[in-house]
């Protein structure tokens, strides 16, 4: 008689490959899935142990009748670099069924960074200069391993960090060849230390001045480390098509695997352009690895910047250093209250963050549905009044977009959050329910799963997420986090 850690009974399994759901029991032991079997068929052999799964007991069991068991969701687009230390329960994520966060997106990562001056936009989204305490990725990894969070984390290396370091804060120009060499060295070191790739934030002040050639030189480093290139493109509005073309040029020249971050067409005059961008991406996919991530909302969120305000229908302030009490309020109302124009109001509030209502539903639906798209929340955990995507993204895709709107099947929705994501980002033994993989699992109710976080009340737990396991340990149950912190630092595919 064998005694295993966990037995999940009577489940309908959506395994994360996109395959139709099937009935199965799951056995977990020592953090891994060791059995996936039909309980009515006692002859199924456990290939790893070579004994019958019909003859065992389990320390814990969960009756998952009428529930779906799927791989834990992989949030491929986060800014949780510091949040895993500040709030290690990561309730914003585990309450949605997320078990792995990929941090370091949009050109900004907590590591590696040695610059000691004031941090420029958008690096400040991660915190003030004192939070930047990791000159190397291996320093970050060590800290995470000594104080793990409830979720696994993988880290991209931010281009803006490399730039500000190599150019000693003088980033308002293209980098010279000496500076590019120094960035390449820093990137190679980061990848050797366990970073999974390079991210850019080309729309932002810290990286705007970098020409395409600078990005190509850096991206060329990635293939030999199996690293991925993710890009917050130069423009997501009037020049979004041009930006996709630039991304394809980088992908071709550097022969790199690429993910376009939070793909969108921002500003009313640009609605509909996703027809062209997705066509271009689809063509480029024939010869390249080119994918994208997106979140299921028509408002975006980042720093409060004048250029971004211009193209939005409506702007809500998410935080302000000078006026913390205005978080959650409409920028127009604040201008009236302050008795000044929008530009002066922004100057008064700055530094500050905002939510921008600026995307169309047709573009959003098209992008969500696109076969190359994965789900990433892009949630910003430090905001006082955050965009609801921080707490609602994954249940919203399952509830609103799959069950209610039938944009895609539940199996397809889960694939966009698990198997697809693990394979694109090179996270080994994750993202699919199969024997030998890590037991990152979520048990949810397909009838009730739904987001509740809204623009007015952005920090509400979702409905229908019943149990969440990370590396075989329970981290979410009865609408509450447990005390376990089983998260691992994931280094991506090993390289030779
Ligand atoms: Zn971004």
């Amino acid at each position: 008689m064998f005694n295993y850690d966990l037995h999940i009974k009577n489940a309908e399994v959506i395994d994360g490959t996109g395959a139709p759901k099937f009935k199965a029991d799951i056995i977990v032991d020592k953090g891994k899935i060791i059995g996936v079997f039909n309980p009515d068929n006692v002859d199924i052999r456990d290939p790893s142990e070579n004994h019958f799964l019909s003859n065992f007991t389990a320390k814990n069991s969960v009756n998952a009748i009428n529930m779906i068991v799927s791989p834990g969701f992989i949030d491929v687009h986060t800014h949780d670099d510091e949040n895993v230390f500040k709030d290690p329960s990561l309730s914003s994520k585990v309450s949605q069924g997320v078990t792995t966060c990929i941090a370091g997106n949009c050109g900004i990562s907590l590591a590696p960074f040695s610059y000691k001056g004031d941090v420029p936009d958008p690096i400040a989204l991660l915190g003030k200069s004192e939070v930047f305490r990791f000159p190397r990725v291996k320093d970050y990894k060590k800290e995470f391993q000594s104080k793990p969070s409830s979720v696994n984390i993988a880290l991209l290396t931010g281009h803006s960090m490399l730039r500000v370091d190599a150019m000693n804060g003088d980033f308002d120009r293209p980098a010279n060849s000496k500076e590019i060499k120094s960035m390449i060295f820093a990137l190679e070191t980061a990848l050797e230390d366990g970073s999974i790739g390079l991210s850019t934030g080309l729309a932002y002040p810290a990286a705007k001045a970098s020409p395409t050639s600078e990005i190509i030189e850096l991206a060329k480093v990635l293939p030999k480390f199996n690293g991925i290139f993710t890009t917050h493109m130069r423009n997501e509005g009037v020049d979004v098509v041009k930006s996709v073309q630039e991304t394809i040029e980088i992908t071709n020249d550097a022969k790199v695997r690429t993910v376009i971050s939070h793909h969108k067409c921002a500003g009313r005059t640009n609605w509909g352009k996703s027809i062209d961008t997705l066509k271009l991406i689809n063509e480029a996919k024939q010869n390249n690895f080119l994918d994208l991530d997106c979140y299921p909302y028509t408002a975006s969120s980042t720093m409060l910047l004048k250029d971004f305000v211009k193209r939005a229908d409506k702007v809500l302030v998410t935080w302000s250093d000078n006026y913390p009490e205005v978080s959650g309020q409409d920028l127009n109302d604040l201008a009236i209250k302050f008795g000044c124009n929008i530009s002066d109001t922004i100057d008064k509030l700055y530094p500050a963050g905002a939510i921008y209502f600026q995307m169309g539903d047709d573009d959003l639906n098209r992008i969500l549905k696109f076969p190359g798209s994965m789900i990433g929340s892009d949630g910003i955990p430090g905001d006082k009044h955050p965009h609801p995507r921080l707490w609602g993204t994954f249940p919203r895709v399952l509830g609103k977009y799959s069950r209610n709107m039938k944009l895609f099947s539940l199996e397809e929705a889960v694939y966009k959050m698990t198997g697809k994501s693990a394979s694109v980002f090179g996270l080994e033994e994750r993202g699919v329910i199969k024997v030998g993989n890590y037991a990152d699992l979520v048990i949810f109710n397909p009838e009730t799963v739904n987001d509740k976080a809204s623009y007015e009340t952005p920090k509400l737990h979702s409905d229908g997420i019943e149990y969440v396991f990370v590396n075989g340990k329970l981290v979410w149950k009865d609408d509450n986090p447990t005390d376990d912190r089983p998260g691992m630092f994931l280094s991506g595919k090993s390289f030779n």
Side-chain angles (χ1 to χ4, degrees):
M1 183 75 89
F2 294 88
N3 188 19
Y4 299 129
D5 288 341
L6 173 68
H7 181 194
I8 300 173
K9 298 176 187 172
N10 305 314
E12 289 245 57
V13 172
I14 293 182
D15 69 2
T17 64
K21 63 184 176 191
F22 56 91
K23 274 207 168 346
D25 279 21
I26 296 174
I27 309 285
V28 171
D29 201 45
K30 299 182 185 69
K32 290 210 163 179
I33 298 165
I34 64 156
V36 180
F37 66 103
N38 183 335
D40 303 328
N41 183 353
V42 292
D43 281 340
I44 288 185
R45 211 172 262 273
D46 174 358
S48 62
E49 295 284 330
N50 201 28
H51 57 72
F52 290 100
L53 281 168
S54 54
N55 186 24
F56 70 92
T57 56
K59 287 167 206 140
N60 293 294
S61 69
V62 172
N63 185 358
I65 193 150
N66 299 327
M67 301 284 169
I68 299 286
V69 182
S70 82
F73 306 137
I74 298 170
D75 190 344
V76 298
H77 195 111
T78 86
H79 297 289
D80 284 313
D81 311 44
E82 171 69 359
N83 198 36
V84 291
F85 301 120
K86 252 167 75 184
D87 175 23
S89 77
L90 263 285
S91 292
S92 57
K93 295 299 160 79
V94 293
S95 65
Q96 301 184 55
V98 169
T99 56
T100 294
C101 287
I102 294 174
N105 275 284
C106 299
I108 53 178
S109 55
L110 205 57
F113 198 53
S114 304
Y115 183 69
K116 290 297 166 217
D118 280 347
V119 291
D121 295 335
I123 295 173
L125 276 180
L126 290 179
K128 304 270 182 262
S129 42
E130 62 271 15
V131 309
F132 295 91
R133 58 199 183 280
F134 305 112
R136 301 238 335 229
V137 169
K138 70 172 186 186
D139 304 323
Y140 181 97
K141 177 178 176 180
K142 203 172 149 204
E143 173 106 339
F144 184 82
Q145 286 175 333
S146 70
K147 288 180 227 157
S149 72
S150 61
V151 303
N152 306 308
I153 192 141
L155 211 58
L156 293 158
T157 294
H159 168 232
S160 294
M161 319 311 284
L162 302 179
R163 270 198 124 227
V164 171
D165 262 350
M167 301 169 83
N168 199 24
D170 177 23
F171 48 77
D172 234 355
R173 56 178 175 84
N176 62 36
S177 60
K178 197 173 152 234
E179 289 158 346
I180 290 178
K181 256 192 201 139
S182 142
M183 284 195 256
I184 288 174
F185 179 74
L187 177 59
E188 286 177 339
T189 307
L191 292 160
E192 279 164 10
D193 282 356
S195 160
I196 61 164
L198 173 72
S199 76
T200 68
L202 298 176
Y204 291 117
K208 244 184 183 164
S210 54
T212 312
S213 56
E214 180 182 320
I215 313 300
I216 291 173
E217 288 203 59
L218 289 171
K220 277 184 175 163
V221 170
L222 297 165
K224 66 172 180 280
F225 295 91
N226 274 313
I228 187 127
F229 173 64
T230 75
T231 179
H232 176 150
M233 300 188 301
R234 215 174 278 281
N235 190 288
E236 298 180 303
V238 65
D239 283 330
V240 66
V241 174
K242 258 195 209 157
S243 287
V244 169
Q245 284 162 338
E246 181 187 26
T247 302
I248 292 170
E249 185 190 338
I250 296 166
T251 307
N252 276 330
D253 282 11
K255 299 186 177 49
V256 70
R257 292 182 294 127
T258 298
V259 173
I260 294 174
S261 296
H262 44 56
H263 189 38
K264 65 172 82 70
C265 299
R268 266 179 194 275
T269 50
N270 304 306
W271 291 5
K273 287 186 176 167
S274 64
I275 295 173
D276 296 331
T277 60
L278 295 178
K279 192 164 166 264
L280 280 172
I281 293 167
N282 208 22
E283 283 164 13
K285 275 172 84 69
Q286 311 305 318
N287 305 309
N288 298 286
F289 288 100
L290 179 59
D291 292 286
L292 57 92
D293 69 63
C294 55
Y295 48 81
Y297 296 87
T298 52
S300 65
S301 182
T302 182
M303 308 286 297
L304 179 63
L305 296 172
K306 287 181 188 175
D307 278 357
F308 288 22
V309 168
K310 274 184 216 148
R311 65 185 185 204
D313 289 357
K314 179 177 156 168
V315 177
L316 297 179
V317 175
T318 52
W319 60 274
S320 160
D321 269 1
N322 302 332
Y323 296 87
E325 70 281 5
V326 307
S327 302
Q329 294 190 37
D330 192 312
L331 186 65
N332 279 334
D333 297 344
L334 286 171
I336 294 167
K337 246 186 233 170
F338 290 155
C340 50
N341 64 26
I342 294 289
S343 174
D344 292 345
T345 307
I346 294 171
D347 289 340
K348 267 179 182 294
L349 296 171
Y350 202 82
I355 294 170
Y356 303 92
F357 291 82
Q358 56 174 352
M359 285 103 88
D361 277 306
D362 289 347
D363 286 313
L364 173 59
N365 296 349
R366 206 176 285 127
I367 292 168
L368 279 171
K369 214 175 153 169
F370 183 67
S373 71
M374 293 165 283
I375 306 302
S377 71
D378 199 11
I380 308 171
D383 287 5
K384 265 206 157 54
H385 187 97
H387 187 301
R389 66 193 182 185
L390 178 64
W391 288 82
T393 290
F394 292 82
R396 185 172 171 89
V397 171
L398 298 172
K400 176 173 177 176
Y401 287 95
S402 175
R403 183 187 59 233
N404 300 349
M405 287 173 59
K406 303 195 173 15
L407 211 57
F408 31 66
S409 67
L410 201 55
E411 287 86 345
E412 176 83 18
V414 169
Y415 174 61
K416 286 172 179 290
M417 305 171 173
T418 60
K420 165 104 189 163
S421 322
S423 104
V424 168
F425 283 84
L427 305 178
E428 290 183 310
E429 301 180 353
R430 312 265 171 191
V432 170
I433 293 185
K434 70 170 192 190
V435 171
N437 274 8
Y438 287 93
D440 293 344
L441 301 166
V442 53
I443 303 180
F444 65 90
N445 184 331
E447 302 300 320
T448 62
V449 67
N450 233 339
D451 61 305
K452 291 204 317 213
S454 65
Y455 293 105
E456 295 74 35
T457 319
K459 295 184 180 177
L460 294 178
H461 300 168
S462 298
D463 278 335
I465 303 292
E466 306 294 332
Y467 300 86
V468 183
F469 297 89
V470 173
N471 297 314
K473 295 278 192 321
L474 186 65
V475 295
W476 184 259
K477 189 196 168 202
D478 296 332
D479 209 29
N480 270 297
T482 67
D483 293 329
D484 254 317
R485 304 284 178 261
M488 290 166 67
F489 183 91
L490 309 182
S491 296
K493 262 189 193 142
S494 48
F495 58 89
N496 299 311

